[in-house]
Amino acid sequence: MPSLKLSDGEIRNQTGALVRYLGKAYKAKDGTNFYPGPADPMLSYKIDLYIDTQDAWFLETLKFTV
């Protein structure tokens, strides 16, 4: 399972949560957030739907690649 160690030593280790954290913590080149959160609920929904779908796909493919 992928994990991310933060500068304060805390570890994040759930893929969907990692993507959301990074999207909220870092800004794009134009200064906007990658993850809009409450500013655009519909776009946040679409992003979450995609992330959750990819997690399910990844877990399913693990069964066949090991």
Side-chain angles (χ1 to χ4, degrees), residues 24-46:
K24 292 173 186 175
Y26 296 96
K27 300 207 181 279
K29 288 182 180 181
D30 65 359
T32 60
N33 283 358
F34 287 109
Y35 189 87
D40 190 342
M42 183 53 73
L43 182 56
S44 295
Y45 164 77
K46 290 177 182 179

Side-chain angles (χ1 to χ4, degrees), residues 3-50:
S3 64
L4 173 70
K5 187 171 184 178
L6 303 178
S7 59
D8 64 0
E10 190 172 342
I11 295 176
R12 305 265 192 254
N13 61 6
Q14 198 277 337
T15 308
L18 282 173
V19 173
R20 290 179 188 94
Y21 166 78
L22 293 170
K24 292 173 186 175
Y26 296 96
K27 300 207 181 279
K29 288 182 180 181
D30 65 359
T32 60
N33 283 358
F34 287 109
Y35 189 87
D40 190 342
M42 183 53 73
L43 182 56
S44 295
Y45 164 77
K46 290 177 182 179
I47 292 169
D48 290 341
L49 181 64
Y50 180 79

